[in-house]
Amino acid sequence: QVQLVESGGGMVQPGGSLRLSCTASISIFSFNYMGWYRQAPGKQRDLVARVLSGGTTNYKDSVQGRFTISRDTAKSTVYLQMNSLKPEDTAVYYCTASQYGRVSWGQGTQVTVSS
């Protein structure tokens, strides 16, 4: 079982920025993808962004142009740079990774956007 440890959540004002980090317990070289989901109270968990093994990235429409996902293979870490944050981005953000068909999840980190 791959362990995923997230960091970087917190509270920020609208228009602000945060960077989330997720470090895996093993090399991510063989991962099919790594990414981020989020879940707001009373809502389902939705894909925010992911990066595939070949480098292709996918984004939720509402974050396109504001969020950027990247990875550092040497550090076994994936990042989510979030700019121009809006109150509707408030949620618990979960890191996820898939290796050989097995999906792992982090414990989640809270992001709150409020004035």
Side-chain angles (χ1 to χ4, degrees), residues 6-12 18-20 36-41 82 85 87-94 107-114:
E6 301 129 330
S7 62
M11 179 176 289
V12 65
L18 284 173
R19 188 176 80 155
L20 305 182
W36 295 90
Y37 280 67
R38 70 186 183 189
Q39 187 168 23
M82 305 185 292
L85 282 161
E88 51 263 43
D89 295 318
T90 295
V92 178
Y93 284 68
Y94 296 91
Q107 79 283 1
T109 185
Q110 177 70 46
V111 171
T112 302
V113 185
S114 175

Side-chain angles (χ1 to χ4, degrees), residues 40-108:
K43 295 188 177 181
Q44 67 179 16
R45 190 176 296 188
D46 288 332
L47 175 68
V48 176
R50 69 176 183 175
V51 53
L52 307 183
S53 58
T56 300
T57 56
N58 305 123
Y59 292 94
K60 181 180 180 68
D61 286 346
S62 62
V63 308
Q64 184 79 43
R66 299 188 296 123
F67 291 10
T68 303
I69 190 169
S70 62
R71 66 185 175 187
D72 186 332
T73 303
K75 295 182 179 180
S76 296
T77 298
V78 66
Y79 304 97
L80 185 67
Q81 178 67 44
M82 305 185 292
N83 298 327
S84 302
L85 282 161
K86 304 176 181 180
E88 51 263 43
D89 295 318
T90 295
V92 178
Y93 284 68
Y94 296 91
C95 179
T96 185
S98 174
Q99 182 191 38
Y100 307 131
R102 291 188 176 182
V103 179
S104 300
W105 294 90
Q107 79 283 1

Side-chain angles (χ1 to χ4, degrees), residues 21-41:
S21 301
C22 172
T23 299
S25 57
I26 62 172
S27 170
I28 65 173
F29 183 78
S30 63
F31 284 14
N32 302 111
Y33 65 80
M34 289 189 77
W36 295 90
Y37 280 67
R38 70 186 183 189
Q39 187 168 23

